[in-house]
Amino acid sequence: MAAVEAWFLGGPVDGRLMPVEVSADGSPPAAVKLPQTGFYLGTSNIPAPAAEHVYVLADRLDGVEVYQYQQPASEAAV
């Protein structure tokens, strides 16, 4: 698996550097989707649905791909 180093800005992984898998021609993806799952303590014994966080390729800085958090439309309206 070939990968590049990517810097994530905003959202739940703000400021982290992580590897991102590239395509066969070596180009990074235009967007990266990071799922977030988990169980929360409360009155329900059913886990909450997975949330998907989307990061869009925004720039390249010193050989590092920079991805910017794309806020979901439901949160942007609040």
Side-chain angles (χ1 to χ4, degrees):
M1 167 182 89
V4 294
E5 188 172 41
W7 184 24
F8 291 83
L9 299 176
V13 295
D14 184 38
R16 293 194 188 168
L17 287 169
M18 296 188 290
V20 172
E21 190 174 350
V22 297
S23 65
D25 67 357
S27 59
V32 174
K33 295 179 180 180
L34 301 175
Q36 179 181 0
T37 60
F39 288 89
Y40 300 94
L41 297 176
T43 58
S44 175
N45 62 351
I46 300 170
E52 189 171 75
H53 302 288
V54 178
Y55 288 81
V56 178
L57 184 59
D59 201 0
R60 185 181 187 128
L61 184 63
D62 294 330
V64 176
E65 306 300 332
V66 178
Y67 284 87
Q68 180 69 46
Y69 181 66
Q70 184 175 10
Q71 191 174 16
S74 60
E75 290 179 17
V78 175

